Amino acid sequence: MAMLEGIVVRREAQRIDVLSEGKVLKGIPKGKVRTSERIYAGDRVAGYIEDGGIFVIEEVKKRKNLLVRPPVANVDRVIIVSTIKEPEFNNFMLDNLLVVYEREGVGIYIVFNKVDILDREGKEELKRWIDIYEKADYRVLTVSVITGEGLEEFSDIFEPGIYAFAGPSGTGKSSLISVISGIDLKRGEVSRKTGRGKHTTTGVSLLMLEGNVFVADTPGFSKVDALRFIDRENIKDYFREFRGYTCKFRDCLHAKEEGCGVKEAVSKGEISVERYESYLRIIS
Ligand SMILES: Nc1nc2c(ncn2[C@@H]2O[C@H](COP(=O)(O)OP(=O)(O)OP(=O)(O)O)[C@@H](O)[C@H]2O)c(=O)[nH]1
Ligand SMILES: [Mg+2]
Ligand SMILES: [Zn+2]
């Protein structure tokens, strides 16, 4: 039988969908893969097609990386979708996420959605956070699925590769993917769940946009604790803006030590107080 390659485009409970030769097929792991490997959306697999509709997975290719939250393999870039309102912005959660993704070495975009619902005060708050994250060396975009504002610039970021959409529940990850792909993800959710009003995403699914761009819609989460994934003394390495400052002690944790270059930078306003406080809270 001819060996074929494929990519796992959906992973939810026991369900595995594999895209191979232009078709989405039900994936069934076999042999060693079945007993000793976990399979994630984004995994590259090899196997063969049986009975015309089943992709028998004989091998999972070596992963370039694996994001645990959300669970997607071989991610090139992650798009963190946040909002200032509905739901309320949680900068501590964003900072935890950034630490986790920095460690994986993936590209990162921060996208603020739902800017249409912001009043003057909300817009000022948005601007304040944009400044903070841009100063921390992140690319920040603002969009609204409702008015279309910012969507053109947003669409321009996509290059061939796997993009994982991440962030709290209800920020508009599925809505954004629907609008850039033209595929109504929410309608799909509703018809399967029959009658339920909520569209909350379950499981991870990858959609192929044109030009070998894959976007992964993932379920939102309400909490991420960077300390669960990274040792306390290494957290500082994943705050981009701390790099380039020197401290008196080589193993300085930038907390209570004297002669700390990072703390000095905070007091001079070079590093934002909000980011620094998140750092202290993560390691506390
Ligand atoms: N006002 C406004 N509402 C939006 C916008 N984008 C999405 N929404 C609404 O926000 C709600 C949540 O959107 P979803 O796309 O389901 O959010 P999600 O991030 O996929 O949520 P989970 O799947 O639970 O993680 C829906 O009712 C959307 O219609 C926007 O730009 N402006
Ligand atoms: Mg969703
Ligand atoms: Zn220090």
Side-chain angles (χ1 to χ4, degrees):
M1 240 166 293
M3 275 292 257
L4 297 171
E5 310 231 312
I7 177 168
V8 177
V9 290
R10 184 160 182 90
R11 188 76 177 93
E12 178 176 6
Q14 293 310 306
R15 174 174 169 189
I16 300 170
D17 287 353
V18 176
L19 173 69
S20 180
E21 312 271 289
K23 275 199 227 112
V24 177
L25 304 161
K26 181 174 183 222
I28 296 186
K30 187 191 166 187
K32 231 178 68 193
V33 178
R34 204 176 105 115
T35 50
S36 58
E37 290 217 55
R38 279 203 66 174
I39 296 178
Y40 295 89
D43 269 332
R44 308 263 175 194
V45 294
Y48 56 90
I49 295 177
E50 203 177 63
D51 299 337
I54 288 171
F55 191 99
V56 179
I57 304 168
E58 289 203 306
E59 186 194 339
V60 178
K61 308 261 165 166
K62 195 171 164 2
R63 295 178 185 115
K64 132 168 134 182
N65 58 37
L66 175 64
L67 294 194
V68 180
R69 230 158 241 241
V72 190
N74 300 315
V75 174
D76 294 292
R77 291 166 172 185
V78 58
I79 294 171
I80 307 174
V81 183
S82 294
T83 48
I84 295 296
K85 299 267 184 270
E86 296 178 30
E88 199 84 12
F89 182 53
N90 179 343
N91 67 302
F92 183 60
M93 173 161 162
L94 175 57
D95 293 333
N96 273 272
L97 276 179
L98 290 171
V99 166
V100 174
Y101 299 151
E102 285 291 344
R103 211 234 348 214
E104 290 303 328
V106 298
I108 298 170
Y109 289 95
I110 298 170
V111 177
F112 284 100
N113 185 30
K114 305 197 189 184
V115 295
D116 57 285
I117 56 171
L118 299 179
D119 57 12
R120 238 188 82 183
E121 206 181 315
K123 287 200 177 103
E124 272 163 26
E125 198 189 334
L126 170 68
K127 191 179 170 302
R128 197 170 71 84
W129 288 113
I130 293 173
D131 287 345
I132 286 169
Y133 287 99
E134 284 183 342
K135 211 162 85 179
D137 204 22
Y138 288 100
R139 173 99 188 266
V140 186
L141 295 153
T142 56
V143 296
S144 163
V145 172
I146 299 293
T147 65
E149 170 177 358
L151 288 180
E152 217 175 285
E153 196 188 345
F154 178 63
S155 301
D156 281 345
I157 69 176
F158 296 95
E159 287 166 20
I162 297 182
Y163 289 73
F165 281 60
S169 189
T171 54
K173 296 178 292 299
S174 299
S175 303
L176 266 172
I177 292 176
S178 298
V179 76
I180 59 166
S181 67
I183 298 162
D184 194 341
L185 291 172
K186 290 207 300 187
R187 190 156 299 157
E189 291 293 318
V190 173
S191 67
R192 242 185 310 117
K193 287 187 180 171
T194 53
R196 282 251 225 113
K198 260 202 135 194
H199 311 298
T200 302
T201 306
T202 56
V204 177
S205 53
L206 259 63
L207 283 177
M208 194 163 89
L209 311 184
E210 58 191 41
N212 266 317
V213 176
F214 285 93
V215 293
D217 192 16
T218 75
F221 31 78
S222 54
K223 217 183 147 213
V224 176
D225 184 357
L227 265 195
R228 270 195 51 199
F229 306 99
I230 299 159
D231 289 339
R232 183 172 174 267
E233 59 274 19
N234 296 332
I235 297 282
K236 60 178 171 24
D237 300 340
Y238 305 112
F239 273 76
R240 279 188 187 176
E241 68 271 50
F242 292 3
R243 297 168 193 164
Y245 290 102
T246 42
C247 306
K248 183 173 163 189
F249 304 106
R250 282 197 65 165
D251 57 355
C252 185
L253 280 183
H254 318 317
K256 295 202 171 96
E257 298 90 342
E258 58 175 85
C260 172
V262 167
K263 269 198 287 180
E264 199 186 315
V266 175
S267 66
K268 283 199 240 162
E270 290 171 16
I271 290 174
S272 88
V273 174
E274 290 82 355
R275 286 273 294 165
Y276 180 63
E277 281 177 351
S278 281
Y279 169 71
L280 291 181
R281 201 169 141 198
I282 291 172
I283 65 161
S284 69

